[in-house]
Amino acid sequence: MPLKNLTPMLYTRQVRASVDFYIENLGFTCVGYDEDWGWATVSRDGVEIMFALPNDHSTFSIPKFTGSFYIRTDKVEDIWNELKGKAIICYPLETFDYGMREFAVYDYNGYLLQFGMPVD
């Protein structure tokens, strides 16, 4: 059976605040939320991200991830103009030698979100 997609599940102790940040600042929609389970899913343009309270099988002190979440778009300038005043910027919109025009912001928990598109 082929793989279909990847949906990151980000641990946080503040599921509702994380969802609210994605809705109010990043233009996502909440498509699933269960306070009893400590879980939620947000979505925008086919990109889904889940949030969950840490489970009992892992050690969790603060949100951490050693990479970034790279979101491809064909409208990176529009997304930049929409988000630049609504999140902490890691780096502004820039064209890189490796052929991508991109920028990066931090979400509510400090996870790094990069948005990029190839340039001709």
Side-chain angles (χ1 to χ4, degrees):
M1 177 182 296
L3 302 177
K4 291 186 172 190
N5 59 39
L6 172 70
T7 305
M9 182 176 301
L10 306 179
Y11 287 158
T12 179
R13 295 226 182 268
Q14 315 220 334
V15 174
R16 181 79 252 168
S18 299
V19 168
D20 290 346
F21 177 86
Y22 274 73
I23 291 169
E24 295 167 11
N25 297 294
L26 303 181
F28 281 69
T29 301
C30 183
V31 296
Y33 180 79
D34 191 304
E35 189 171 348
D36 291 335
W37 291 352
W39 166 89
T41 299
V42 295
S43 177
R44 178 177 173 171
D45 303 326
V47 172
E48 283 192 350
I49 299 172
M50 291 190 282
F51 300 100
L53 294 173
N55 65 44
D56 294 334
H57 304 290
S58 64
T59 304
F60 182 86
S61 55
I62 60 170
K64 59 185 174 211
F65 181 74
T66 60
S68 66
F69 298 96
Y70 199 95
I71 301 168
R72 293 180 183 269
T73 177
D74 56 0
K75 305 269 186 183
V76 73
E77 301 223 7
D78 293 345
I79 302 292
W80 166 249
N81 288 326
E82 178 187 339
L83 302 184
K84 66 183 176 183
K86 298 179 178 180
I88 296 172
I89 297 168
C90 176
Y91 62 88
L93 186 62
E94 185 176 343
T95 301
F96 291 90
D97 292 342
Y98 47 84
M100 295 297 286
R101 184 149 176 82
E102 62 188 49
F103 69 93
V105 298
Y106 295 100
D107 81 350
Y108 178 81
N109 295 291
Y111 293 113
L112 184 59
L113 306 174
Q114 291 176 273
F115 296 84
M117 64 180 269
V119 292
D120 297 328

